[in-house]
Amino acid sequence: MTRASEIVLISGDQLTPAISSLRDASPAETILLMAEVAEEAGYVPHHRKKLAFLFSAMRHFAEEMRAQGWRVDYVRLDDPDNSGSLGGEVARARKRHGDLPLRVTEAGEWRLAETMRSWTNCTIIADDRFFSMPDQFAVWAEDRKTLRMEYFYRMMRRETGLLMDGEAPLGGRWNFDADNRKPAERDLLMTRPHAFPPDVITRDVMAMVEARFPDNFGTLSPFGFAVTRADAEAAFDDFVAHRLARFGDNQDAMLSGEPFLYHAVIAQYLNCGLLDPRRVCARVDEACRAGRVPINAAEGFIRQILGWREYVRGIYWHFMPGYADENRLGATRPLPAFYWTADTDMACVAACVRQTRDEAYAHHIQRLMVTGNFALLAGIDPAELHRWYLAVYADAYEWVELPNTLGMSQFADGGLLASKPYAASGAYINRMSDYCRGCRYDVKKRTGAGACPFNFLYWDFIARHAERLNANARMQPVLRGWSRFAEFEQAQIRNQASRFLAAMDDGQGQ
Ligand code: FAD
Ligand code: SF4
């Protein structure tokens, strides 16, 4: 066997043979190092399905690369000599294979990227699995008064040609959002995402997760995520064939017992490398041009990936490390226990937390307008909430989760990312879901016995932050609405909110 001349470290979110660290490497001369380590598995208490998904996808990727002739050195979590950290595993690999130079693709998270920068004899290569690079975002952001996603997205459309007709947007508009706000009807023909039965490798990993993480949040079985590239692609094909056409119309809808509706459920595959965002967007562009899906569906979908996903990554790298500490609304309340137990009478929150526990998944509006909205209105500490979102979803990585949580959902960056807080009363949830029908609270009541907590908390939030929100033109109608309430009504709202929050802080059932 040829003597190896370098080690390439592949981390759990770099599971593609196209990763930049392998581009100039030769299978005969490279040790491909992969390690399951306690530090990565434990920096937040990850959902057990997320852990099983990632360890299984890593082990399958190792097999895929071995089959292609690569020399894979794989360290399992239960290896008795496992040092517990990636740095420790690099050091141990250098003892096994000789003190070889190391090559890595840059880590996706600030924390690990910093650690890697301290490693000796290590070449760090940019991660080019995205449509844009952080320095391109920095050039775009320079000298702009506001960093609105919409303008970044238009630039990306022009650059990639996705859904473009020459210089003009396909269909004559950049944005079909206004067509994409329909509530969902129950549909007996609605297909659910493919579930892939666990194979031997996944079952082995599940047993390990069961034994090593008995107290972590989340249901482990049934487990149905794809853990190979081929299956992830099959899952995406299934979405394109059966759900994409309705993605636009019902993008913001929520329906009890239907966790996935017409969503793709692919973020976990994109974020760990099993799916390639370029191929995914190209497929949707092609389906639209061929007339197989309407423009509002294709544009709505491509905007999420080419727009939001790229944009939040740009925000992350541009504003880290300080971004993680942002708390411009001064929210300090601890995260209520029901975010882990689902033990609340608020039917919408209970449904979203239960679904999160069972699936390690909630779609965007459930995250933004139910759990996120409640936390915003209740003044939950954004850092605590960030750790929750980072732990509970199979697709959660800090680069994408943090700007979504701190910026979009909690307005903790003071409006850098969102032009106004995503705060809403129960009326929004009632319009976009059927949760209120099965709730003990009355969504039509603002105060008094049985009033929907989202209603009084919403107005309490507006009143609490009136001074700050006053500077925001988009909030003026809401502030005028608050000032039109009679004084006694305002007092009633604020008292009820304060009693509710005090009881919640005391751990009383809500
Ligand atoms: P679909 O609705 O089918 O959308 C298609 C794809 O678009 C997604 O797979 C995803 O890659 C991308 N996308 C959609 N919205 C966003 C967005 N706002 N930001 C970035 N990409 C987006 N997404 C994550 O990938 N990881 C996270 O940790 C994460 N945390 C979030 C936390 C909060 C508080 C909020 C409000 C949103 C978060 N999102 C996160 C964005 C979004 O909710 C998920 O990407 C989406 O729900 C994943 O489900 P899906 O694959 O079915 O997406
Ligand atoms: Fe949620 Fe209020 Fe509707 Fe109950 S009534 S489901 S708490 S919005």
Side-chain angles (χ1 to χ4, degrees):
M1 194 182 274
T2 325
R3 221 178 114 70
S5 59
E6 67 172 348
I7 298 172
V8 170
L9 174 69
I10 303 282
S11 49
D13 58 352
Q14 300 180 345
L15 306 181
T16 167
I19 195 77
S20 57
S21 55
L22 288 179
R23 207 151 294 152
D24 302 316
S26 95
E29 290 170 22
T30 307
I31 301 293
L32 207 154
L33 175 65
M34 297 181 72
E36 301 167 1
V37 292
E39 196 169 74
E40 296 307 308
Y43 68 92
V44 288
H46 298 288
H47 193 298
R48 297 196 302 162
K49 224 168 229 160
K50 178 184 187 184
L51 289 169
F53 163 63
L54 280 172
F55 288 147
S56 179
M58 285 173 72
R59 291 184 189 187
H60 281 91
F61 180 72
E63 292 304 312
E64 179 189 342
M65 296 308 275
R66 279 191 187 115
Q68 288 178 22
W70 291 88
R71 295 159 69 176
V72 182
D73 182 355
Y74 194 96
V75 183
R76 291 165 58 124
L77 190 70
D78 48 12
D79 181 331
D81 295 326
N82 190 322
S83 64
S85 72
L86 284 177
E89 285 315 299
V90 167
R92 284 203 321 125
R94 280 181 162 153
K95 284 201 181 118
R96 285 194 295 277
H97 303 290
D99 196 10
L100 297 175
L102 176 72
R103 196 153 31 149
V104 289
T105 290
E106 187 166 35
E109 299 193 351
W110 180 270
R111 172 189 60 85
L112 192 53
E114 278 294 280
T115 304
M116 284 180 175
R117 274 190 269 278
S118 70
W119 290 348
T120 54
N121 198 8
C122 171
T123 308
I124 300 175
I125 303 164
D127 188 349
D128 54 9
R129 287 175 293 165
F130 295 85
F131 288 96
S132 61
M133 301 298 271
D135 51 1
Q136 187 185 358
F137 184 91
V139 170
W140 174 78
E142 207 175 71
D143 299 334
R144 274 178 187 264
K145 279 208 197 86
T146 60
L147 301 182
R148 292 291 162 252
M149 193 287 288
E150 185 63 30
Y151 298 106
F152 176 80
Y153 167 58
R154 290 181 192 182
M155 175 182 81
M156 297 306 296
R157 288 269 297 275
R158 286 196 186 94
E159 251 178 39
T160 57
L162 283 165
L163 296 183
M164 292 299 288
D165 184 4
E167 285 301 301
L170 199 68
R173 271 154 59 190
W174 291 104
N175 185 322
F176 289 79
D177 231 6
D179 303 350
N180 291 357
R181 295 187 182 131
K182 299 186 183 75
E185 298 292 323
R186 231 162 251 292
D187 178 355
L188 293 176
L189 300 178
M190 188 190 300
T191 62
R192 284 192 159 198
H194 259 345
F196 299 87
D199 64 3
V200 175
I201 294 180
T202 304
R203 285 201 299 274
D204 205 26
V205 164
M206 287 169 75
M208 182 183 78
V209 169
E210 189 83 66
R212 293 281 296 246
F213 303 92
D215 299 326
N216 279 38
F217 176 73
T219 313
L220 193 51
S221 294
F223 180 96
F225 286 135
V227 289
T228 63
R229 185 173 328 288
D231 283 352
E233 277 170 8
F236 178 62
D237 288 348
D238 179 64
F239 163 71
V240 174
H242 300 296
R243 301 194 304 283
L244 172 60
R246 299 280 294 276
F247 176 86
D249 285 356
N250 298 125
Q251 202 178 332
D252 289 1
M254 299 172 278
L255 213 51
S256 314
E258 291 296 346
F260 312 109
L261 283 170
Y262 301 99
H263 290 271
V265 197
I266 56 164
Q268 69 280 20
Y269 307 139
L270 286 167
N271 296 349
C272 77
L274 290 185
L275 283 182
D276 170 9
R278 287 193 182 84
R279 277 169 63 126
V280 162
C281 288
R283 284 281 313 280
V284 172
D285 176 277
E286 178 205 27
C288 181
R289 288 179 201 270
R292 291 196 298 275
V293 297
I295 182 74
N296 71 312
E299 191 282 316
F301 182 82
I302 284 182
R303 176 152 32 92
Q304 305 312 316
I305 296 183
L306 182 65
W308 281 111
R309 187 169 185 269
E310 295 288 322
Y311 168 82
V312 296
R313 181 168 179 263
I315 292 276
Y316 179 79
W317 286 110
H318 200 57
F319 292 103
M320 279 299 277
Y323 197 76
D325 301 322
E326 290 281 17
N327 187 0
R328 301 278 179 96
L329 295 184
T332 53
R333 178 159 278 111
L335 189 72
F338 57 72
Y339 273 72
W340 300 105
T341 60
D343 187 10
T344 165
D345 286 345
M346 292 180 283
C348 52
V349 176
C352 293
V353 173
R354 268 199 304 270
Q355 176 190 316
T356 298
R357 179 196 65 203
D358 294 344
E359 309 288 352
Y361 177 83
H363 70 66
H364 187 65
I365 294 301
Q366 294 174 310
R367 298 185 205 195
L368 184 64
M369 299 313 292
V370 179
T371 45
N373 184 22
F374 181 83
L376 174 69
L377 303 184
I380 307 296
D381 179 346
E384 270 204 42
L385 188 71
H386 150 56
R387 285 174 58 77
W388 183 79
Y389 279 110
L390 191 55
V392 302
Y393 293 113
D395 55 39
Y397 297 84
E398 192 180 79
W399 65 266
V400 51
E401 176 277 329
L402 186 70
N404 268 298
T405 303
L406 246 67
M408 189 187 300
S409 163
Q410 299 302 297
F411 211 67
D413 62 7
L416 186 72
L417 197 146
S419 58
K420 73 180 189 47
Y422 278 94
S425 68
Y428 174 87
I429 295 172
N430 193 30
R431 192 164 61 248
M432 297 313 302
S433 79
D434 62 354
Y435 293 141
C436 302
R437 280 181 227 158
C439 186
R440 96 154 165 87
Y441 292 113
D442 182 350
V443 72
K444 297 273 163 29
K445 274 185 91 171
R446 193 183 298 135
T447 50
C452 165
F454 279 84
N455 291 344
F456 51 79
L457 289 178
Y458 172 75
W459 288 112
D460 185 61
F461 170 83
I462 299 296
R464 266 195 340 264
H465 298 293
E467 204 175 319
R468 172 180 283 276
L469 299 177
N470 204 15
N472 185 328
R474 294 193 64 199
M475 294 306 290
Q476 292 305 321
V478 181
L479 289 165
R480 279 197 295 277
W482 172 248
S483 66
R484 277 198 288 269
F485 288 134
E487 240 172 70
F488 80 91
E489 264 184 296
Q490 291 188 344
Q492 239 177 353
I493 288 170
R494 303 228 49 192
N495 283 338
Q496 189 153 356
S498 125
R499 282 197 310 274
F500 178 92
L501 292 172
M504 187 176 86
D505 291 346
D506 278 354
Q508 291 170 31
Q510 301 291 330

